């Protein structure tokens, strides 16, 4: 029978970091990284997070000091800014598509 984790485990607990590191080395995760990006994950970031947590526990400092600053995921843009960004990022695709249409080829 598996032992259940108590609900009072602190958020900065190092067990969660160890779980993340363990999963990082799992074949499922590594194969998905290879499929998506063409390379395996070295898991260096997970190692760093675990060591930071262990060091903070040993020193008695709160883990929140070591957490990265949160950033805004979405940046609101005006219609014009969005169009300019889209053209900058994906404008080359439009030119390629127009060139193919000019050749009489269909996509």
């Amino acid at each position: 029978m598996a032992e259940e984790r108590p609900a009072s485990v602190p958020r900065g607990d190092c067990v969660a970091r160890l779980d993340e590191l363990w999963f990082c080395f799992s074949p499922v995760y590594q194969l998905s990284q290879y499929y998506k990006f063409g390379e395996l994950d070295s898991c260096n970031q997970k190692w760093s997070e675990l060591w930071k947590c262990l060091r903070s526990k040993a020193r008695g400092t709160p883990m929140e000091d070591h957490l990265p600053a949160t950033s805004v995921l979405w940046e609101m843009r005006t219609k014009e800014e969005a169009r300019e960004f889209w053209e900058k990022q994906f404008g080359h695709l439009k030119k390629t598509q127009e060139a193919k249409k000019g050749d009489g080829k269909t996509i």
Side-chain angles (χ1 to χ4, degrees), residues 4-17:
E4 288 191 32
R5 209 167 122 188
S8 64
V9 174
R11 183 172 163 83
D13 194 45
C14 297
V15 174
R17 305 296 191 284

Side-chain angles (χ1 to χ4, degrees), residues 28-47:
V28 171
Y29 177 75
Q30 290 295 330
L31 287 173
S32 70
Q33 291 298 300
Y34 189 77
Y35 178 78
K36 291 176 187 175
F37 306 111
E39 58 187 28
L40 298 175
D41 189 353
S42 66
C43 302
N44 287 337
Q45 182 66 31
K46 302 296 181 194
W47 274 114

Side-chain angles (χ1 to χ4, degrees), residues 18-107:
L18 181 62
D19 287 343
E20 290 171 1
L21 179 64
W22 187 268
F23 179 73
C24 187
F25 284 110
S26 72
V28 171
Y29 177 75
Q30 290 295 330
L31 287 173
S32 70
Q33 291 298 300
Y34 189 77
Y35 178 78
K36 291 176 187 175
F37 306 111
E39 58 187 28
L40 298 175
D41 189 353
S42 66
C43 302
N44 287 337
Q45 182 66 31
K46 302 296 181 194
W47 274 114
S48 297
E49 290 173 9
L50 177 62
W51 283 118
K52 284 179 187 176
C53 182
L54 292 172
R55 270 188 252 124
S56 71
K57 289 280 187 180
R59 293 178 185 153
T61 58
M63 186 60 195
E64 287 75 25
D65 294 344
H66 302 290
L67 294 176
T70 57
S71 62
V72 177
L73 181 62
W74 298 102
E75 181 181 319
M76 296 302 290
R77 296 186 173 117
T78 64
K79 224 177 207 185
E80 183 61 28
E81 289 172 334
R83 187 187 62 73
E84 289 172 6
F85 177 79
W86 185 266
E87 288 295 324
K88 181 179 172 188
Q89 292 292 317
F90 305 108
H92 66 283
L93 297 175
K94 187 175 181 181
K95 293 173 188 171
T96 304
Q97 188 177 19
E98 288 171 356
K100 285 183 180 180
K101 283 183 181 179
D103 294 343
K105 297 178 184 178
T106 57
I107 298 176

